[in-house]
Amino acid sequence: MRNDIQHLTPRQIVAELDKYIIGQHDAKRNVAIALRNRIRRMNVKSDIQKDIVPNNILMIGSTGVGKTEIARRLAKIANAPFTKVEASKFTEVGYVGRDVESMVRDLVEQAVHLVRDQKNEAVKEKASESVEEIILDILIPPVKSAGFVRQGTSISTDFNPDQASEEELNERTRDRFREKLKNGELEERKIEINVKQSPPVGVGMIGNGMMDDASMAGIQDMISGMMPKRTKKRKVSIAEARKILMEEETSKLIDFDEVKEEAIRLAENNGIIFIDEIDKIASKSGKGSGGPDVSREGVQRDLLPIVEGSSVNTKYGIINTDHVLFIAAGAFHVSKPSDLIPELQGRFPIRVELSSLTEDDFYRILKEPKNALTKQYQALFEAEEVYLDFNDEAIREIARLAFKINEEVENIGARRLHTVVSHLLNDFLFDVPDTIEANSKIMITKEMVAERLSSLVQNRDLSQYIL
């Protein structure tokens, strides 16, 4: 996918986002331009390349309108390391809790996973050949003899078992079992394998608790590397043994130092950090007023160097955040973007206001996206061989009721659809497969929606349904 990204235009990126997110055209345009600018920067030949910094984006909109989904889908399109954090969970340096640098360490972890998966894919074929030989050695231990050298070709058709040596018979048997392994005929058979076990390492509080997470993780890795690796015998099926051994063999074929270097480069140039609930750390009064606001402003000041670009120590090495794309989001119901400290505001030059969802948006959300809620429930019922269908009027009615509840109670955006559809289908989900048997068909009509959801609409409290 990474090579294809080079050819993705902003319009194509928006078209990809449209498959999962309804509306919010401005937000999609801005993130598409931000992603394309990264590709453009990587293709700049002159020295100015390192001075081109990303334009970080601040999304403003109420909950459930698609802020997080836009950022997450963008990262998937870019095949980029992505991490989502909530600003309200951070504490100022000196307080007990997570510090802001942990989000950069999380990003590097994601990059390591991405690079490792790509490397695993590259050595998959070679590793599976090694795994096959290990399993064969357990099933049919080879007979070693100085006088027998196996040729690259298979044993001739005029093979005579009475005249064959022990080595030839052994190799013939191994070939038969190799064929069975390839055909998946022995997957349930139990074999005994040696599994490597890393001893648990418990490092207590070192340096009176002044050591950061990266240093602590580094010390733990170093100690676990020094301690002898123990093996434990386990009796497992060949299918399970294949998975365990595959992991061990791929790790032998991959240079982890190379993985770390590549992951750091990927995180630095392609990483996306999504900071949600940034409005929760905005000081409502606009100036420090004691109490929790002091901590809020402290978190903002801790965020500032990370977003501006600084070097962060991680257990995989030092990462520079100059070219990491930061997307911040918040509802800003109580506070305003101008309540953030001016320096932080300046680091999010692109402001996008996401519009509230309309009744028509709800209708489209239920029908169009690849992962639409109606399609998810149809898949769940189909797993029990029960076929669920919604007529168009029913979908219209669900959208109307969800929109009405949002207006009257609390606007939680598209998440309200989960409440409504769950309430509508819970009885059916409970009855499958006891009362509603396999091969049954359920058609959801407008009348059924109105009847089943009337109590939900009439009950103004609805506290049990607010997500």
Side-chain angles (χ1 to χ4, degrees):
M1 179 77 180
R2 178 106 34 98
N3 295 332
D4 300 340
I5 289 157
Q6 299 294 328
H7 309 293
L8 272 180
T9 66
R11 284 182 192 278
Q12 289 170 327
I13 294 164
V14 170
E16 284 295 313
L17 291 170
D18 282 340
K19 291 177 184 176
Y20 295 94
I21 302 135
I22 298 300
Q24 313 305 358
H25 192 62
D26 279 353
K28 288 176 188 169
R29 273 174 63 102
N30 278 287
V31 296
I33 292 165
L35 182 56
R36 185 65 188 178
N37 279 348
R38 299 189 129 192
I39 299 162
R40 290 166 180 149
R41 186 184 79 82
M42 296 306 283
N43 293 329
V44 170
K45 304 294 181 209
S46 66
D47 290 343
I48 203 169
Q49 187 199 69
K50 62 180 180 293
D51 296 319
I52 301 171
V53 293
N55 283 335
N56 297 322
I57 299 166
L58 177 63
M59 293 186 187
I60 304 158
S62 54
T63 185
V65 294
K67 302 187 294 293
T68 309
E69 193 64 13
I70 287 171
R72 187 176 281 124
R73 291 290 167 190
L74 184 77
K76 283 194 177 171
I77 291 166
N79 196 20
F82 171 82
T83 188
K84 174 186 179 285
V85 295
E86 290 173 11
S88 55
K89 291 204 175 154
F90 292 124
T91 59
E92 190 180 347
V93 171
Y95 287 78
V96 174
R98 290 193 85 193
D99 64 288
V100 292
E101 286 189 355
S102 63
M103 66 186 179
V104 183
R105 290 193 279 270
D106 291 346
L107 183 73
V108 177
E109 284 285 355
Q110 290 298 322
V112 167
H113 285 306
L114 271 176
V115 174
R116 194 189 271 147
D117 287 348
Q118 285 162 10
K119 300 271 184 196
N120 283 353
E121 202 58 43
V123 299
K124 192 177 178 182
E125 201 173 319
K126 197 173 178 183
S128 42
E129 283 173 16
S130 302
V131 168
E132 200 171 85
E133 288 305 313
I134 293 168
I135 294 171
L136 268 176
D137 287 348
I138 296 167
L139 290 169
I140 316 289
V143 176
K144 291 181 181 175
S145 168
F148 176 73
V149 180
R150 189 184 184 220
Q151 302 300 317
T153 55
S154 58
I155 295 166
S156 60
T157 48
D158 58 350
F159 171 75
N160 186 346
D162 297 328
Q163 295 174 2
S165 67
E166 192 182 342
E167 291 87 352
E168 285 177 299
L169 285 168
N170 180 275
E171 201 55 53
R172 188 82 173 188
T173 311
R174 281 172 71 87
D175 282 345
R176 278 204 304 273
F177 270 80
R178 187 180 281 109
E179 202 61 41
K180 286 186 175 187
L181 277 174
K182 281 180 179 165
N183 296 336
E185 292 172 33
L186 305 171
E187 295 300 278
E188 297 306 312
R189 185 164 174 169
K190 297 273 184 184
I191 57 170
E192 205 170 63
I193 59 168
N194 288 320
V195 183
K196 283 181 185 173
Q197 285 190 313
S198 297
V201 180
V203 179
M205 297 297 283
I206 299 176
N208 298 322
M210 296 303 289
M211 184 168 285
D212 63 29
D213 292 347
S215 306
M216 185 72 80
I219 287 174
Q220 288 186 344
D221 286 351
M222 184 180 72
I223 293 171
S224 64
M226 286 161 61
M227 294 181 80
K229 295 282 186 293
R230 294 179 183 175
T231 58
K232 179 186 175 184
K233 282 192 180 294
R234 277 185 67 190
K235 197 162 190 178
V236 293
S237 66
I238 285 177
E240 198 178 336
R242 207 188 288 274
K243 286 179 194 168
I244 296 165
L245 294 168
M246 191 74 176
E247 216 170 284
E248 286 181 14
E249 290 304 303
T250 48
S251 65
K252 285 179 194 171
L253 294 167
I254 292 167
D255 179 359
F256 194 62
D257 287 332
E258 194 185 317
V259 170
K260 288 194 282 191
E261 285 170 24
E262 206 173 308
I264 292 283
R265 274 199 307 275
L266 183 65
E268 284 182 338
N269 295 301
N270 283 25
I272 299 173
I273 294 180
F274 182 77
I275 307 170
D276 204 2
E277 295 188 359
I278 201 163
D279 55 319
K280 303 292 190 298
I281 59 164
S283 180
K284 302 178 192 69
S285 57
K287 57 188 175 183
S289 58
D293 282 353
V294 176
S295 180
R296 285 195 188 112
E297 196 165 308
V299 173
Q300 289 184 61
R301 295 204 178 280
D302 288 348
L303 269 174
L304 192 58
I306 307 282
V307 180
E308 279 179 337
S310 62
S311 297
V312 176
N313 188 26
T314 75
K315 69 176 184 176
Y316 301 108
I318 293 171
I319 172 176
N320 190 290
T321 63
D322 280 343
H323 299 290
V324 172
L325 176 65
F326 290 89
I327 302 174
F332 289 100
H333 288 319
V334 180
S335 53
K336 305 184 293 294
S338 56
D339 290 333
L340 293 166
I341 59 172
E343 300 92 329
L344 193 59
Q345 287 180 53
R347 289 293 156 184
F348 290 93
I350 310 295
R351 304 270 173 95
V352 186
E353 196 154 344
L354 283 83
S355 51
S356 293
L357 298 169
T358 63
E359 188 180 316
D360 192 52
D361 287 335
F362 278 2
Y363 170 74
R364 291 179 61 207
I365 287 167
L366 286 168
K367 280 199 80 168
E368 293 176 21
K370 277 189 172 182
N371 60 340
L373 202 55
T374 49
K375 294 172 187 173
Q376 289 179 33
Y377 275 103
Q378 282 171 333
L380 286 175
F381 276 97
E382 208 166 307
E384 303 259 19
E385 295 180 18
V386 174
Y387 303 97
L388 174 73
D389 205 3
F390 296 81
N391 69 24
D392 201 60
E393 285 185 339
I395 294 174
R396 285 268 178 211
E397 186 66 7
I398 293 166
R400 187 186 72 79
L401 292 172
F403 182 73
K404 185 180 176 185
I405 295 168
N406 264 359
E407 277 192 320
E408 292 179 357
V409 187
E410 182 75 40
N411 188 356
I412 58 168
R415 292 191 182 96
R416 182 68 68 190
L417 291 170
H418 287 268
T419 309
V420 173
V421 177
S422 166
H423 193 78
L424 172 69
L425 298 176
N426 268 356
D427 287 347
F428 293 123
L429 288 164
F430 186 79
D431 288 338
V432 173
D434 297 324
T435 315
I436 301 170
E437 295 173 354
N439 297 316
S440 304
K441 289 186 180 177
I442 301 168
M443 172 60 79
I444 306 296
T445 62
K446 182 183 177 180
E447 292 72 31
M448 191 187 290
V449 172
E451 180 193 334
R452 284 174 176 257
L453 298 180
S454 58
S455 61
L456 194 64
V457 179
Q458 285 163 12
N459 182 1
R460 291 288 181 268
D461 178 17
L462 290 171
S463 56
Q464 62 174 313
Y465 302 113
I466 294 173
L467 305 179

